Amino acid sequence: MSGEAAIGIHDLSFATTQYVLTHATLAAETGTDVAKYHVGIGQRSMSVPAADEDIVTMAAAAAAPIIARHGADRIRTVVLATETSVDQAKAAGIYVHSLLGLPSATRVVELKQACYGATAALQFAVGLVHRDRTQQVLVIASDVSRYELGSPGEATQGAAAVAMLVGADPALVRIEDPSGVFTADVMDFWRPNYRSTALVDGQESISAYLQAVEGAWKDYTEQGGREPGEFRAFCYHQPFTKMAYKAHKHLLHHCGHDADEGEIARSLGHTTTYNADVGNSYTASTYLGLAALLDDADDLTGEAIGFLSYGSGSVAEFFAGTVVPGYRAHLRTEAHRAAIARRQDIDYARYRALHEHSFPADGGDHPVPRETTGPYRMAGLLGHKRIYEPR
Ligand code: CAA
């Protein structure tokens, strides 16, 4: 892609929750060897939303620093990707648009395809900017992953939002053509409308993910993509960080590309640091991987990064990005590390109470206790309407 035509990620910011449950606490409660979590799945803790936090408050918290830095004059579209939507009709992004005071001359829409949604949003954003290079698109991925208490998925829960400003002449990462795409109708993970927790066939979901990696890569190659050896690092969707290693080894084996553990660690290591502490943030997870890579790795100027986005059900996409010279001056490393470090440790009983909480569906007045110290909160439900406010 020539410099003149470059379109991509101009800014990136993430937010997570008020609370954190460590895997040491979970292991002590469930009588599990903590090494299964720390080593077996590669997770150390999970972000837990306070009673007054949800995908909207996290999304607004992630996007606010982007608006503060760049203004909203060029943003004509907001796309919020989530698989933990708060309303069947109204787009969660409209609440975010209101909290951030964005102009009324904006289109706002919500996108869903499990953990893949943010990548669709990013690609659609690139398309919109191609049509008019003066415009920018605010892409937000925000999710809270919840499984049944005591289920194998419980240890892979988490929550976060990533906001990305997409535009021409980006400061961070240029998104390249081509993309490799893959769709297969499988029931590996899903959440029917009447359930608050996801259903999953754990082992089936791992094989479906690996099949999708192969399928997306095959299409990427057929579209004339790069060779595996050309990439400095790979950002995979990380339902748990060990999955990135499984996926990457599968890809390299499929390509007949021999790599030792050192090379694999070099390609993936920096991408897993935030996800290991935050847990599965579903559609935000691949881009939390990118945030960690940009924040933690040595200079990546001019390097190619591979992205593998997977959403159960299933859709996958492989594409490449190139890191822009000077990108380090635009990073938010300190704020990102603070977002993780500031979370308050909670015990199992508190986590369980938050997990089991649900709003009455009677249309009454249900205020929510003040808990979050983040910039936005959900004040309550009133007449079936969600009420949000700056804190
Ligand atoms: N010390 C070290 N390692 C240990 C250990 C110990 N004491 N005990 C177990 N392990 C290892 C196991 O060997 C295993 O590693 P390998 O897979 O490399 O062999 C790992 O820890 C996990 O152990 P199990 O397979 O026995 O764990 P489990 O069956 O209880 O749960 C899981 C694993 C099925 C992935 C479960 O966490 C789950 O259902 N997660 C939700 C679904 C999911 O994340 N799927 C991923 C693909 S789908 C997707 O990506 C979309 C999405 O976001 C959901």
Side-chain angles (χ1 to χ4, degrees), residues 33 35-36 39-41 115 147 152-153 156 188-189 200 202-203 205-206 209 237 239-240 242-243 246 280 282 310 312:
D33 179 356
K36 174 174 176 179
V39 182
I41 60 170
C115 307
Y147 297 91
T156 67
D188 59 328
F189 166 105
V200 63
Q203 296 311 326
S205 72
I206 293 174
Y209 185 137
H237 167 55
F240 48 95
K242 254 305 187 53
M243 189 67 220
K246 284 182 192 290
N280 193 354
Y282 287 161
Y310 174 72
S312 290

Side-chain angles (χ1 to χ4, degrees), residues 24-38:
T25 302
L26 182 65
E29 175 67 29
T30 58
T32 306
D33 179 356
V34 74
K36 174 174 176 179
Y37 299 148
H38 288 174

Side-chain angles (χ1 to χ4, degrees), residues 183-333:
T183 291
D185 183 2
V186 287
M187 293 302 283
D188 59 328
F189 166 105
W190 68 107
R191 185 169 66 86
N193 286 343
Y194 50 82
R195 287 184 61 96
S196 64
T197 52
L199 294 164
V200 63
D201 180 337
Q203 296 311 326
E204 166 71 16
S205 72
I206 293 174
S207 6
Y209 185 137
L210 298 179
Q211 284 304 308
V213 168
E214 228 174 285
W217 177 264
K218 179 171 177 286
D219 187 49
Y220 178 71
T221 306
E222 285 169 6
Q223 303 295 321
R226 292 172 179 264
E227 295 295 319
E230 291 178 46
F231 294 96
R232 165 64 183 80
F234 292 80
C235 294
Y236 284 88
H237 167 55
Q238 295 171 34
F240 48 95
T241 63
K242 254 305 187 53
M243 189 67 220
Y245 287 83
K246 284 182 192 290
H248 194 52
K249 285 176 184 170
H250 187 83
L251 176 67
L252 295 181
H253 180 73
H254 171 76
C255 297
H257 180 89
D258 284 328
D260 58 26
E261 291 295 329
E263 186 187 333
I264 292 172
R266 191 170 163 272
S267 298
L268 301 184
H270 292 298
T271 71
T272 60
T273 52
Y274 293 156
N275 281 291
D277 281 334
V278 163
N280 193 354
S281 57
Y282 287 161
T283 192
S285 139
T286 308
Y287 300 97
L288 214 56
L290 173 63
L293 174 70
L294 296 176
D295 287 347
D296 291 349
D298 292 341
D299 189 17
L300 294 166
T301 300
E303 302 274 13
I305 311 295
F307 294 84
L308 187 287
S309 176
Y310 174 72
S312 290
S314 69
V315 176
E317 179 158 347
F318 188 96
F319 64 99
T322 324
V323 181
V324 176
Y327 75 99
R328 281 183 141 172
H330 305 275
L331 297 179
R332 300 176 178 278
T333 311

Side-chain angles (χ1 to χ4, degrees), residues 32-381:
T32 306
D33 179 356
V34 74
K36 174 174 176 179
Y37 299 148
H38 288 174
V39 182
I41 60 170
Q43 293 303 127
R44 305 200 68 82
S45 59
M46 57 176 85
S47 286
V48 178
D52 54 352
E53 291 177 325
D54 67 5
I55 59 158
V56 169
T57 63
M58 289 193 301
I66 290 184
I67 304 302
R69 185 184 280 178
H70 305 277
D73 293 355
R74 294 172 62 191
I75 299 174
R76 287 181 58 81
T77 304
V78 177
V79 189
L80 191 150
T82 187
E83 59 179 295
T84 44
S85 191
V86 293
D87 194 291
Q88 293 286 19
K90 178 165 176 151
I94 298 178
Y95 296 116
V96 177
H97 174 274
S98 166
L99 286 169
L100 298 180
L102 299 182
S104 58
T106 311
R107 65 165 75 80
V108 180
V109 71
E110 186 165 310
L111 274 189
K112 178 186 69 182
Q113 187 355 77
C115 307
Y116 165 73
T119 299
L122 176 62
Q123 295 293 1
F124 297 166
V126 169
L128 282 170
V129 177
H130 259 297
R131 198 170 72 170
D132 176 358
R133 293 174 56 84
T134 66
Q135 294 187 18
Q136 295 175 324
V137 180
L138 180 62
V139 169
I140 310 175
S142 189
D143 267 310
V144 176
S145 73
R146 291 173 90 228
Y147 297 91
E148 293 277 350
L149 293 170
S151 72
E154 184 181 14
T156 67
Q157 296 174 124
V162 173
M164 295 181 277
L165 187 64
V166 177
D169 303 318
L172 298 181
V173 178
R174 294 176 186 135
I175 302 299
E176 296 182 356
D177 283 336
S179 255
V181 289
F182 175 83
T183 291
D185 183 2
V186 287
M187 293 302 283
D188 59 328
F189 166 105
W190 68 107
R191 185 169 66 86
N193 286 343
Y194 50 82
R195 287 184 61 96
S196 64
T197 52
L199 294 164
V200 63
D201 180 337
Q203 296 311 326
E204 166 71 16
S205 72
I206 293 174
S207 6
Y209 185 137
L210 298 179
Q211 284 304 308
V213 168
E214 228 174 285
W217 177 264
K218 179 171 177 286
D219 187 49
Y220 178 71
T221 306
E222 285 169 6
Q223 303 295 321
R226 292 172 179 264
E227 295 295 319
E230 291 178 46
F231 294 96
R232 165 64 183 80
F234 292 80
C235 294
Y236 284 88
H237 167 55
Q238 295 171 34
F240 48 95
T241 63
K242 254 305 187 53
M243 189 67 220
Y245 287 83
K246 284 182 192 290
H248 194 52
K249 285 176 184 170
H250 187 83
L251 176 67
L252 295 181
H253 180 73
H254 171 76
C255 297
H257 180 89
D258 284 328
D260 58 26
E261 291 295 329
E263 186 187 333
I264 292 172
R266 191 170 163 272
S267 298
L268 301 184
H270 292 298
T271 71
T272 60
T273 52
Y274 293 156
N275 281 291
D277 281 334
V278 163
N280 193 354
S281 57
Y282 287 161
T283 192
S285 139
T286 308
Y287 300 97
L288 214 56
L290 173 63
L293 174 70
L294 296 176
D295 287 347
D296 291 349
D298 292 341
D299 189 17
L300 294 166
T301 300
E303 302 274 13
I305 311 295
F307 294 84
L308 187 287
S309 176
Y310 174 72
S312 290
S314 69
V315 176
E317 179 158 347
F318 188 96
F319 64 99
T322 324
V323 181
V324 176
Y327 75 99
R328 281 183 141 172
H330 305 275
L331 297 179
R332 300 176 178 278
T333 311
E334 226 171 277
H336 289 163
R337 290 181 183 156
I340 289 177
R342 68 180 279 278
R343 297 169 303 166
Q344 274 170 260
D345 214 354
I346 51 171
D347 62 15
Y348 187 83
R350 180 79 187 108
Y351 149 75
R352 192 183 171 112
L354 285 162
H355 193 284
E356 286 175 339
H357 174 264
S358 64
F359 283 106
D362 59 7
D365 183 1
H366 301 290
V368 181
R370 288 186 174 272
E371 290 186 10
T372 184
T373 57
Y376 303 100
R377 65 183 297 273
M378 184 191 170
L381 269 184

